[in-house]
mmCIF file of all heavy atoms in Angstrom:
data_model
loop_
_atom_site.group_PDB
_atom_site.id
_atom_site.type_symbol
_atom_site.label_atom_id
_atom_site.label_comp_id
_atom_site.label_asym_id
_atom_site.label_seq_id
_atom_site.Cartn_x
_atom_site.Cartn_y
_atom_site.Cartn_z
ATOM 1 N N ASN B 23 0.799 -1.191 -0.048
ATOM 2 C CA ASN B 23 -0.040 -0.050 -0.014
ATOM 3 C C ASN B 23 0.869 1.234 -0.010
ATOM 4 O O ASN B 23 0.503 2.278 -0.648
ATOM 5 C CB ASN B 23 -0.925 -0.033 1.197
ATOM 6 C CG ASN B 23 -2.048 -1.082 1.041
ATOM 7 O OD1 ASN B 23 -2.297 -1.555 -0.008
ATOM 8 N ND2 ASN B 23 -2.551 -1.444 2.211
ATOM 9 N N ASP B 24 1.950 1.215 0.737
ATOM 10 C CA ASP B 24 2.715 2.424 0.931
ATOM 11 C C ASP B 24 3.489 2.686 -0.372
ATOM 12 O O ASP B 24 3.434 3.865 -0.883
ATOM 13 C CB ASP B 24 3.850 2.158 1.957
ATOM 14 C CG ASP B 24 4.741 3.452 2.150
ATOM 15 O OD1 ASP B 24 4.125 4.536 2.332
ATOM 16 O OD2 ASP B 24 5.943 3.318 2.216
ATOM 17 N N TRP B 25 4.062 1.798 -1.001
ATOM 18 C CA TRP B 25 4.752 2.058 -2.323
ATOM 19 C C TRP B 25 3.743 2.424 -3.404
ATOM 20 O O TRP B 25 4.046 3.248 -4.224
ATOM 21 C CB TRP B 25 5.521 0.764 -2.753
ATOM 22 C CG TRP B 25 6.852 0.675 -2.039
ATOM 23 C CD1 TRP B 25 7.297 -0.404 -1.180
ATOM 24 C CD2 TRP B 25 7.984 1.502 -2.223
ATOM 25 N NE1 TRP B 25 8.548 -0.073 -0.785
ATOM 26 C CE2 TRP B 25 9.046 0.954 -1.438
ATOM 27 C CE3 TRP B 25 8.274 2.567 -3.029
ATOM 28 C CZ2 TRP B 25 10.332 1.515 -1.352
ATOM 29 C CZ3 TRP B 25 9.599 3.170 -3.030
ATOM 30 C CH2 TRP B 25 10.535 2.643 -2.125
ATOM 31 N N SER B 26 2.605 1.683 -3.437
ATOM 32 C CA SER B 26 1.617 2.024 -4.412
ATOM 33 C C SER B 26 1.119 3.419 -4.305
ATOM 34 O O SER B 26 0.904 4.189 -5.319
ATOM 35 C CB SER B 26 0.403 1.047 -4.321
ATOM 36 O OG SER B 26 0.864 -0.332 -4.576
ATOM 37 N N ASN B 27 0.904 3.865 -3.107
ATOM 38 C CA ASN B 27 0.447 5.240 -2.854
ATOM 39 C C ASN B 27 1.423 6.272 -3.319
ATOM 40 O O ASN B 27 1.084 7.283 -3.874
ATOM 41 C CB ASN B 27 0.124 5.471 -1.337
ATOM 42 C CG ASN B 27 -0.517 6.784 -1.037
ATOM 43 O OD1 ASN B 27 -1.555 7.164 -1.558
ATOM 44 N ND2 ASN B 27 0.275 7.579 -0.296
ATOM 45 N N ARG B 28 2.685 6.036 -2.984
ATOM 46 C CA ARG B 28 3.790 6.929 -3.408
ATOM 47 C C ARG B 28 3.790 7.095 -4.984
ATOM 48 O O ARG B 28 3.958 8.214 -5.452
ATOM 49 C CB ARG B 28 5.127 6.417 -2.902
ATOM 50 C CG ARG B 28 5.296 6.503 -1.358
ATOM 51 C CD ARG B 28 6.742 6.236 -1.051
ATOM 52 N NE ARG B 28 6.877 5.634 0.229
ATOM 53 C CZ ARG B 28 8.002 5.275 0.810
ATOM 54 N NH1 ARG B 28 9.125 5.473 0.083
ATOM 55 N NH2 ARG B 28 8.153 4.678 1.895
ATOM 56 N N LEU B 29 3.620 5.966 -5.615
ATOM 57 C CA LEU B 29 3.686 6.009 -7.115
ATOM 58 C C LEU B 29 2.404 6.717 -7.619
ATOM 59 O O LEU B 29 2.516 7.475 -8.575
ATOM 60 C CB LEU B 29 3.854 4.603 -7.677
ATOM 61 C CG LEU B 29 5.148 3.947 -7.582
ATOM 62 C CD1 LEU B 29 5.072 2.486 -7.757
ATOM 63 C CD2 LEU B 29 6.143 4.552 -8.540
ATOM 64 N N ALA B 30 1.379 6.352 -7.070
ATOM 65 C CA ALA B 30 -0.001 6.937 -7.540
ATOM 66 C C ALA B 30 -0.065 8.431 -7.357
ATOM 67 O O ALA B 30 -0.595 9.190 -8.133
ATOM 68 C CB ALA B 30 -1.142 6.271 -6.770
ATOM 69 N N THR B 31 0.594 8.948 -6.241
ATOM 70 C CA THR B 31 0.550 10.385 -6.028
ATOM 71 C C THR B 31 1.709 11.113 -6.603
ATOM 72 O O THR B 31 1.771 12.415 -6.500
ATOM 73 C CB THR B 31 0.504 10.628 -4.468
ATOM 74 O OG1 THR B 31 1.626 10.008 -3.898
ATOM 75 C CG2 THR B 31 -0.807 10.065 -3.872
ATOM 76 N N GLY B 32 2.646 10.457 -7.206
ATOM 77 C CA GLY B 32 3.712 11.105 -7.833
ATOM 78 C C GLY B 32 4.908 11.368 -6.849
ATOM 79 O O GLY B 32 5.873 12.076 -7.244
ATOM 80 N N GLN B 33 4.779 10.961 -5.631
ATOM 81 C CA GLN B 33 5.912 11.104 -4.748
ATOM 82 C C GLN B 33 7.114 10.344 -5.147
ATOM 83 O O GLN B 33 8.296 10.819 -4.885
ATOM 84 C CB GLN B 33 5.466 10.694 -3.328
ATOM 85 C CG GLN B 33 4.388 11.427 -2.657
ATOM 86 C CD GLN B 33 3.961 10.830 -1.309
ATOM 87 O OE1 GLN B 33 4.794 10.712 -0.419
ATOM 88 N NE2 GLN B 33 2.744 10.300 -1.206
ATOM 89 N N GLU B 34 6.910 9.226 -5.764
ATOM 90 C CA GLU B 34 7.983 8.355 -6.312
ATOM 91 C C GLU B 34 7.772 7.990 -7.734
ATOM 92 O O GLU B 34 6.649 7.959 -8.246
ATOM 93 C CB GLU B 34 8.102 7.160 -5.468
ATOM 94 C CG GLU B 34 8.236 7.260 -3.958
ATOM 95 C CD GLU B 34 9.622 7.571 -3.526
ATOM 96 O OE1 GLU B 34 10.443 7.777 -4.422
ATOM 97 O OE2 GLU B 34 9.804 7.677 -2.318
ATOM 98 N N LEU B 35 8.830 7.837 -8.510
ATOM 99 C CA LEU B 35 8.765 7.335 -9.899
ATOM 100 C C LEU B 35 9.422 5.962 -9.933
ATOM 101 O O LEU B 35 9.925 5.467 -8.956
ATOM 102 C CB LEU B 35 9.481 8.311 -10.783
ATOM 103 C CG LEU B 35 8.943 9.794 -10.791
ATOM 104 C CD1 LEU B 35 9.799 10.669 -11.765
ATOM 105 C CD2 LEU B 35 7.414 9.811 -11.177
ATOM 106 N N GLY B 36 9.472 5.340 -11.109
ATOM 107 C CA GLY B 36 9.983 4.085 -11.157
ATOM 108 C C GLY B 36 11.361 3.913 -10.674
ATOM 109 O O GLY B 36 11.810 3.029 -9.973
ATOM 110 N N ALA B 37 12.243 4.935 -11.075
ATOM 111 C CA ALA B 37 13.638 4.914 -10.683
ATOM 112 C C ALA B 37 13.803 5.032 -9.109
ATOM 113 O O ALA B 37 14.616 4.308 -8.628
ATOM 114 C CB ALA B 37 14.328 6.122 -11.326
ATOM 115 N N ASP B 38 12.977 5.830 -8.533
ATOM 116 C CA ASP B 38 13.030 5.989 -7.014
ATOM 117 C C ASP B 38 12.631 4.638 -6.398
ATOM 118 O O ASP B 38 13.237 4.187 -5.374
ATOM 119 C CB ASP B 38 12.037 7.034 -6.582
ATOM 120 C CG ASP B 38 12.310 8.362 -7.280
ATOM 121 O OD1 ASP B 38 13.447 8.792 -7.284
ATOM 122 O OD2 ASP B 38 11.346 8.960 -7.735
ATOM 123 N N THR B 39 11.665 3.988 -6.969
ATOM 124 C CA THR B 39 11.249 2.679 -6.396
ATOM 125 C C THR B 39 12.275 1.729 -6.513
ATOM 126 O O THR B 39 12.575 0.890 -5.576
ATOM 127 C CB THR B 39 9.913 2.250 -7.065
ATOM 128 O OG1 THR B 39 8.968 3.266 -7.057
ATOM 129 C CG2 THR B 39 9.389 0.986 -6.366
ATOM 130 N N ALA B 40 12.935 1.663 -7.647
ATOM 131 C CA ALA B 40 14.097 0.788 -7.887
ATOM 132 C C ALA B 40 15.163 0.962 -6.826
ATOM 133 O O ALA B 40 15.644 -0.010 -6.192
ATOM 134 C CB ALA B 40 14.731 0.971 -9.256
ATOM 135 N N PHE B 41 15.525 2.222 -6.542
ATOM 136 C CA PHE B 41 16.509 2.396 -5.539
ATOM 137 C C PHE B 41 16.022 1.939 -4.187
ATOM 138 O O PHE B 41 16.856 1.389 -3.381
ATOM 139 C CB PHE B 41 16.871 3.993 -5.484
ATOM 140 C CG PHE B 41 17.810 4.383 -4.361
ATOM 141 C CD1 PHE B 41 19.171 4.150 -4.589
ATOM 142 C CD2 PHE B 41 17.425 4.814 -3.118
ATOM 143 C CE1 PHE B 41 20.095 4.502 -3.574
ATOM 144 C CE2 PHE B 41 18.233 5.169 -2.116
ATOM 145 C CZ PHE B 41 19.574 4.970 -2.332
ATOM 146 N N GLY B 42 14.805 2.228 -3.863
ATOM 147 C CA GLY B 42 14.202 1.856 -2.529
ATOM 148 C C GLY B 42 14.366 0.397 -2.313
ATOM 149 O O GLY B 42 14.573 -0.078 -1.205
ATOM 150 N N PHE B 43 14.103 -0.469 -3.375
ATOM 151 C CA PHE B 43 14.208 -1.931 -3.233
ATOM 152 C C PHE B 43 15.644 -2.407 -3.181
ATOM 153 O O PHE B 43 16.049 -3.280 -2.401
ATOM 154 C CB PHE B 43 13.441 -2.608 -4.290
ATOM 155 C CG PHE B 43 11.926 -2.733 -4.008
ATOM 156 C CD1 PHE B 43 11.140 -1.650 -4.302
ATOM 157 C CD2 PHE B 43 11.406 -3.874 -3.334
ATOM 158 C CE1 PHE B 43 9.710 -1.778 -3.972
ATOM 159 C CE2 PHE B 43 10.097 -3.938 -3.033
ATOM 160 C CZ PHE B 43 9.199 -2.849 -3.320
ATOM 161 N N ILE B 44 16.457 -1.957 -4.191
ATOM 162 C CA ILE B 44 17.813 -2.499 -4.405
ATOM 163 C C ILE B 44 18.646 -2.142 -3.171
ATOM 164 O O ILE B 44 19.557 -2.820 -2.703
ATOM 165 C CB ILE B 44 18.440 -2.080 -5.677
ATOM 166 C CG1 ILE B 44 17.607 -2.606 -6.853
ATOM 167 C CG2 ILE B 44 19.849 -2.564 -5.787
ATOM 168 C CD1 ILE B 44 17.413 -4.153 -6.818
ATOM 169 N N PHE B 45 18.467 -0.897 -2.629
ATOM 170 C CA PHE B 45 19.349 -0.477 -1.489
ATOM 171 C C PHE B 45 18.660 -0.662 -0.121
ATOM 172 O O PHE B 45 19.044 -0.072 0.818
ATOM 173 C CB PHE B 45 19.754 1.013 -1.744
ATOM 174 C CG PHE B 45 20.945 1.059 -2.753
ATOM 175 C CD1 PHE B 45 20.695 1.156 -4.041
ATOM 176 C CD2 PHE B 45 22.207 0.961 -2.317
ATOM 177 C CE1 PHE B 45 21.747 1.147 -4.987
ATOM 178 C CE2 PHE B 45 23.326 1.023 -3.176
ATOM 179 C CZ PHE B 45 22.966 1.167 -4.560
ATOM 180 N N SER B 46 17.603 -1.409 -0.172
ATOM 181 C CA SER B 46 16.934 -1.694 1.102
ATOM 182 C C SER B 46 17.796 -2.678 1.916
ATOM 183 O O SER B 46 18.648 -3.392 1.427
ATOM 184 C CB SER B 46 15.564 -2.358 0.911
ATOM 185 O OG SER B 46 15.704 -3.668 0.332
ATOM 186 N N GLU B 47 17.671 -2.627 3.259
ATOM 187 C CA GLU B 47 18.356 -3.575 4.085
ATOM 188 C C GLU B 47 18.119 -4.966 3.809
ATOM 189 O O GLU B 47 19.011 -5.849 3.798
ATOM 190 C CB GLU B 47 18.080 -3.296 5.597
ATOM 191 C CG GLU B 47 18.798 -4.081 6.611
ATOM 192 C CD GLU B 47 18.570 -3.763 7.975
ATOM 193 O OE1 GLU B 47 17.654 -2.890 8.338
ATOM 194 O OE2 GLU B 47 19.158 -4.482 8.832
ATOM 195 N N GLU B 48 16.906 -5.255 3.411
ATOM 196 C CA GLU B 48 16.472 -6.676 3.124
ATOM 197 C C GLU B 48 17.260 -7.191 1.894
ATOM 198 O O GLU B 48 17.711 -8.364 1.875
ATOM 199 C CB GLU B 48 15.000 -6.753 2.901
ATOM 200 C CG GLU B 48 14.471 -8.197 2.735
ATOM 201 C CD GLU B 48 12.952 -8.269 2.664
ATOM 202 O OE1 GLU B 48 12.244 -7.344 2.946
ATOM 203 O OE2 GLU B 48 12.428 -9.358 2.332
ATOM 204 N N PHE B 49 17.305 -6.320 0.833
ATOM 205 C CA PHE B 49 18.080 -6.726 -0.363
ATOM 206 C C PHE B 49 19.530 -6.863 -0.032
ATOM 207 O O PHE B 49 20.269 -7.836 -0.500
ATOM 208 C CB PHE B 49 17.843 -5.736 -1.547
ATOM 209 C CG PHE B 49 18.500 -6.186 -2.807
ATOM 210 C CD1 PHE B 49 17.810 -7.148 -3.657
ATOM 211 C CD2 PHE B 49 19.777 -5.690 -3.138
ATOM 212 C CE1 PHE B 49 18.459 -7.510 -4.824
ATOM 213 C CE2 PHE B 49 20.331 -6.194 -4.340
ATOM 214 C CZ PHE B 49 19.719 -7.028 -5.227
ATOM 215 N N ARG B 50 20.073 -5.917 0.690
ATOM 216 C CA ARG B 50 21.557 -5.916 1.029
ATOM 217 C C ARG B 50 21.883 -7.236 1.810
ATOM 218 O O ARG B 50 22.954 -7.796 1.582
ATOM 219 C CB ARG B 50 21.907 -4.810 1.980
ATOM 220 C CG ARG B 50 21.896 -3.374 1.327
ATOM 221 C CD ARG B 50 22.006 -2.276 2.307
ATOM 222 N NE ARG B 50 22.054 -0.911 1.734
ATOM 223 C CZ ARG B 50 23.134 -0.265 1.503
ATOM 224 N NH1 ARG B 50 24.351 -0.724 1.822
ATOM 225 N NH2 ARG B 50 23.077 0.966 1.006
ATOM 226 N N ASN B 51 20.986 -7.680 2.663
ATOM 227 C CA ASN B 51 21.184 -8.831 3.473
ATOM 228 C C ASN B 51 21.280 -10.184 2.613
ATOM 229 O O ASN B 51 21.628 -11.250 3.125
ATOM 230 C CB ASN B 51 20.112 -8.978 4.554
ATOM 231 C CG ASN B 51 20.390 -7.945 5.626
ATOM 232 O OD1 ASN B 51 21.409 -7.382 5.870
ATOM 233 N ND2 ASN B 51 19.264 -7.689 6.377
ATOM 234 N N LEU B 52 20.864 -10.032 1.429
ATOM 235 C CA LEU B 52 20.976 -11.301 0.504
ATOM 236 C C LEU B 52 22.434 -11.532 0.113
ATOM 237 O O LEU B 52 22.745 -12.636 -0.319
ATOM 238 C CB LEU B 52 20.190 -11.025 -0.730
ATOM 239 C CG LEU B 52 18.582 -11.004 -0.669
ATOM 240 C CD1 LEU B 52 17.975 -10.644 -1.984
ATOM 241 C CD2 LEU B 52 18.021 -12.325 -0.068
ATOM 242 N N ASN B 53 23.248 -10.509 0.240
ATOM 243 C CA ASN B 53 24.713 -10.665 -0.048
ATOM 244 C C ASN B 53 25.016 -11.228 -1.338
ATOM 245 O O ASN B 53 25.888 -12.158 -1.490
ATOM 246 C CB ASN B 53 25.270 -11.501 1.073
ATOM 247 C CG ASN B 53 25.458 -10.795 2.371
ATOM 248 O OD1 ASN B 53 25.952 -9.631 2.409
ATOM 249 N ND2 ASN B 53 25.136 -11.436 3.499
ATOM 250 N N LEU B 54 24.253 -10.831 -2.378
ATOM 251 C CA LEU B 54 24.423 -11.434 -3.730
ATOM 252 C C LEU B 54 25.808 -11.200 -4.248
ATOM 253 O O LEU B 54 26.483 -10.154 -4.152
ATOM 254 C CB LEU B 54 23.444 -10.706 -4.696
ATOM 255 C CG LEU B 54 21.944 -10.935 -4.327
ATOM 256 C CD1 LEU B 54 21.113 -10.434 -5.516
ATOM 257 C CD2 LEU B 54 21.561 -12.469 -4.127
ATOM 258 N N CYS B 55 26.357 -12.307 -4.802
ATOM 259 C CA CYS B 55 27.652 -12.160 -5.515
ATOM 260 C C CYS B 55 27.374 -11.343 -6.689
ATOM 261 O O CYS B 55 26.319 -11.060 -7.140
ATOM 262 C CB CYS B 55 28.194 -13.560 -5.784
ATOM 263 S SG CYS B 55 27.059 -14.561 -6.927
ATOM 264 N N ASN B 56 28.516 -11.014 -7.392
ATOM 265 C CA ASN B 56 28.398 -10.133 -8.579
ATOM 266 C C ASN B 56 27.541 -10.800 -9.655
ATOM 267 O O ASN B 56 26.738 -10.085 -10.339
ATOM 268 C CB ASN B 56 29.775 -9.769 -9.104
ATOM 269 C CG ASN B 56 30.586 -8.762 -8.326
ATOM 270 O OD1 ASN B 56 29.953 -8.094 -7.430
ATOM 271 N ND2 ASN B 56 31.885 -8.605 -8.508
ATOM 272 N N GLU B 57 27.745 -12.065 -9.855
ATOM 273 C CA GLU B 57 26.979 -12.751 -10.945
ATOM 274 C C GLU B 57 25.425 -12.644 -10.619
ATOM 275 O O GLU B 57 24.680 -12.395 -11.543
ATOM 276 C CB GLU B 57 27.426 -14.175 -10.990
ATOM 277 C CG GLU B 57 26.673 -15.003 -12.105
ATOM 278 C CD GLU B 57 26.997 -16.486 -12.033
ATOM 279 O OE1 GLU B 57 27.818 -16.885 -11.208
ATOM 280 O OE2 GLU B 57 26.388 -17.202 -12.891
ATOM 281 N N HIS B 58 25.062 -12.922 -9.428
ATOM 282 C CA HIS B 58 23.682 -12.976 -9.120
ATOM 283 C C HIS B 58 23.088 -11.572 -8.975
ATOM 284 O O HIS B 58 21.880 -11.317 -9.177
ATOM 285 C CB HIS B 58 23.343 -13.827 -7.941
ATOM 286 C CG HIS B 58 23.533 -15.295 -8.110
ATOM 287 N ND1 HIS B 58 24.246 -16.165 -7.395
ATOM 288 C CD2 HIS B 58 22.930 -16.041 -9.059
ATOM 289 C CE1 HIS B 58 24.120 -17.352 -7.944
ATOM 290 N NE2 HIS B 58 23.437 -17.357 -8.980
ATOM 291 N N TYR B 59 23.975 -10.586 -8.624
ATOM 292 C CA TYR B 59 23.507 -9.197 -8.584
ATOM 293 C C TYR B 59 23.091 -8.780 -10.095
ATOM 294 O O TYR B 59 22.077 -8.132 -10.228
ATOM 295 C CB TYR B 59 24.598 -8.279 -8.066
ATOM 296 C CG TYR B 59 24.209 -6.870 -8.021
ATOM 297 C CD1 TYR B 59 23.343 -6.389 -7.025
ATOM 298 C CD2 TYR B 59 24.628 -5.881 -8.986
ATOM 299 C CE1 TYR B 59 22.928 -5.059 -7.027
ATOM 300 C CE2 TYR B 59 24.297 -4.581 -8.960
ATOM 301 C CZ TYR B 59 23.400 -4.195 -7.957
ATOM 302 O OH TYR B 59 23.115 -2.848 -8.020
ATOM 303 N N VAL B 60 24.004 -9.109 -11.057
ATOM 304 C CA VAL B 60 23.692 -8.716 -12.391
ATOM 305 C C VAL B 60 22.507 -9.458 -12.828
ATOM 306 O O VAL B 60 21.599 -8.828 -13.554
ATOM 307 C CB VAL B 60 24.898 -9.102 -13.291
ATOM 308 C CG1 VAL B 60 24.582 -8.865 -14.784
ATOM 309 C CG2 VAL B 60 26.112 -8.132 -12.887
ATOM 310 N N ASP B 61 22.310 -10.721 -12.556
ATOM 311 C CA ASP B 61 21.095 -11.476 -12.840
ATOM 312 C C ASP B 61 19.854 -10.731 -12.305
ATOM 313 O O ASP B 61 18.815 -10.674 -12.986
ATOM 314 C CB ASP B 61 21.170 -12.908 -12.309
ATOM 315 C CG ASP B 61 22.132 -13.775 -13.030
ATOM 316 O OD1 ASP B 61 22.535 -13.466 -14.185
ATOM 317 O OD2 ASP B 61 22.490 -14.785 -12.508
ATOM 318 N N SER B 62 19.975 -10.219 -11.121
ATOM 319 C CA SER B 62 18.801 -9.561 -10.485
ATOM 320 C C SER B 62 18.451 -8.261 -11.193
ATOM 321 O O SER B 62 17.319 -7.892 -11.271
ATOM 322 C CB SER B 62 19.092 -9.384 -9.012
ATOM 323 O OG SER B 62 19.925 -8.360 -8.800
ATOM 324 N N MET B 63 19.521 -7.584 -11.649
ATOM 325 C CA MET B 63 19.292 -6.362 -12.486
ATOM 326 C C MET B 63 18.438 -6.619 -13.716
ATOM 327 O O MET B 63 17.516 -5.919 -14.102
ATOM 328 C CB MET B 63 20.590 -5.672 -12.860
ATOM 329 C CG MET B 63 21.324 -5.117 -11.644
ATOM 330 S SD MET B 63 20.613 -3.789 -10.760
ATOM 331 C CE MET B 63 19.989 -4.671 -9.344
ATOM 332 N N TYR B 64 18.946 -7.622 -14.462
ATOM 333 C CA TYR B 64 18.210 -8.022 -15.743
ATOM 334 C C TYR B 64 16.713 -8.501 -15.438
ATOM 335 O O TYR B 64 15.800 -8.079 -16.098
ATOM 336 C CB TYR B 64 18.901 -9.277 -16.351
ATOM 337 C CG TYR B 64 19.972 -8.778 -17.373
ATOM 338 C CD1 TYR B 64 21.367 -8.928 -16.918
ATOM 339 C CD2 TYR B 64 19.783 -8.364 -18.584
ATOM 340 C CE1 TYR B 64 22.327 -8.558 -17.765
ATOM 341 C CE2 TYR B 64 20.763 -7.961 -19.464
ATOM 342 C CZ TYR B 64 22.020 -8.106 -18.993
ATOM 343 O OH TYR B 64 23.026 -7.700 -19.883
ATOM 344 N N ALA B 65 16.537 -9.251 -14.379
ATOM 345 C CA ALA B 65 15.250 -9.755 -13.987
ATOM 346 C C ALA B 65 14.279 -8.580 -13.551
ATOM 347 O O ALA B 65 13.158 -8.494 -14.030
ATOM 348 C CB ALA B 65 15.250 -10.763 -12.907
ATOM 349 N N ALA B 66 14.836 -7.756 -12.709
ATOM 350 C CA ALA B 66 14.051 -6.667 -12.136
ATOM 351 C C ALA B 66 13.702 -5.521 -13.147
ATOM 352 O O ALA B 66 12.575 -5.065 -13.181
ATOM 353 C CB ALA B 66 14.760 -6.084 -10.899
ATOM 354 N N PHE B 67 14.645 -5.087 -13.942
ATOM 355 C CA PHE B 67 14.491 -4.011 -14.831
ATOM 356 C C PHE B 67 14.379 -4.197 -16.330
ATOM 357 O O PHE B 67 13.805 -3.312 -16.975
ATOM 358 C CB PHE B 67 15.619 -2.991 -14.475
ATOM 359 C CG PHE B 67 15.802 -2.725 -12.985
ATOM 360 C CD1 PHE B 67 17.014 -2.945 -12.419
ATOM 361 C CD2 PHE B 67 14.778 -2.229 -12.274
ATOM 362 C CE1 PHE B 67 17.219 -2.645 -11.117
ATOM 363 C CE2 PHE B 67 14.834 -2.008 -10.905
ATOM 364 C CZ PHE B 67 16.120 -2.182 -10.361
#
């Protein structure tokens, strides 16, 4: 609901949302190696 509201009201754009997820503590804690980080970029974006 929070992310959807931010996008709907223009507080955030797609790029801002991308940063919010990729640099979130939860994503950081995955400790992805370089190979899987690149894989995640292709899949996500």
